[in-house]
Amino acid sequence: MDKHMFIYLIIGLVIGFILGYIFMNIISPKARKYAKIKQELDQTKDELVEQKQMIAKHFSHSAEILDNMAKEFRRLYQHMAENSTQFIHSDKGSSLDFDSTSDSDESKEAMLDKQPRDYSDNSSGLFKTDENKS
């Protein structure tokens, strides 16, 4: 074998491998399916990353709102505590007595008269016997 034939053989092998690789990647259905699945996977990964960012942003905003609510609640509690002590100390002499017994008997009787009864004065006829149904 001479040198020229050896060079032609190597060039032929290289061209054959290149053409075989191109043929397998372009024409092969498995390669197309693989490329399609890889593209879908990349798209799904991007969507997942975007969704994670949205969820993190949502929880961050929710935490901020809850923190503001807690601060406002503390402020309201302090306000109520301060004002309740002021009202209790200023109105000690003029406290209202809700348990007075002077009008209790009259109000109880009025309440009993106004309450609905659990029964009716007249019979409904629902439980009549055969003798009475004629």
Side-chain angles (χ1 to χ4, degrees):
M1 279 217 275
D2 62 351
K3 282 185 166 183
H4 293 295
M5 190 174 265
F6 188 66
I7 292 174
Y8 291 133
L9 182 64
I10 292 176
I11 291 174
L13 284 173
V14 170
I15 291 174
F17 279 122
I18 291 173
L19 288 176
Y21 181 76
I22 291 172
F23 178 75
M24 289 300 291
N25 284 335
I26 293 176
I27 298 175
S28 173
K30 286 183 181 179
R32 278 187 262 138
K33 185 177 179 181
Y34 173 76
K36 182 181 175 185
I37 290 174
K38 185 169 177 12
Q39 181 185 6
E40 288 176 1
L41 178 66
D42 292 339
Q43 182 182 0
T44 306
K45 283 182 180 179
D46 292 341
E47 289 174 1
L48 181 64
V49 167
E50 183 179 321
Q51 190 176 25
K52 282 182 180 180
Q53 290 173 349
M54 283 178 32
I55 290 172
K57 184 178 177 182
H58 168 75
F59 282 121
S60 171
H61 185 66
S62 297
E64 182 180 325
I65 291 172
L66 286 173
D67 186 43
N68 290 340
M69 282 178 52
K71 288 177 184 176
E72 290 297 318
F73 180 75
R74 274 189 231 110
R75 215 175 100 213
L76 175 67
Y77 179 77
Q78 288 173 351
H79 171 73
M80 295 298 286
E82 289 170 1
N83 288 334
S84 66
T85 57
Q86 288 176 358
F87 288 131
I88 289 173
H89 295 303
S90 67
D91 289 341
K92 276 189 177 178
S94 63
S95 64
L96 296 175
D97 186 19
F98 291 110
D99 294 330
S100 66
T101 58
S102 62
D103 294 332
S104 67
D105 293 334
E106 293 173 6
S107 63
K108 285 181 184 177
E109 288 177 18
M111 286 289 278
L112 289 176
D113 289 340
K114 292 180 183 178
Q115 289 181 353
R117 296 182 296 187
D118 292 340
Y119 59 91
S120 174
D121 290 333
N122 301 328
S123 64
S124 65
L126 200 72
F127 297 109
K128 285 186 178 179
T129 60
D130 290 334
E131 300 168 1
N132 297 337
K133 283 189 177 180
S134 61

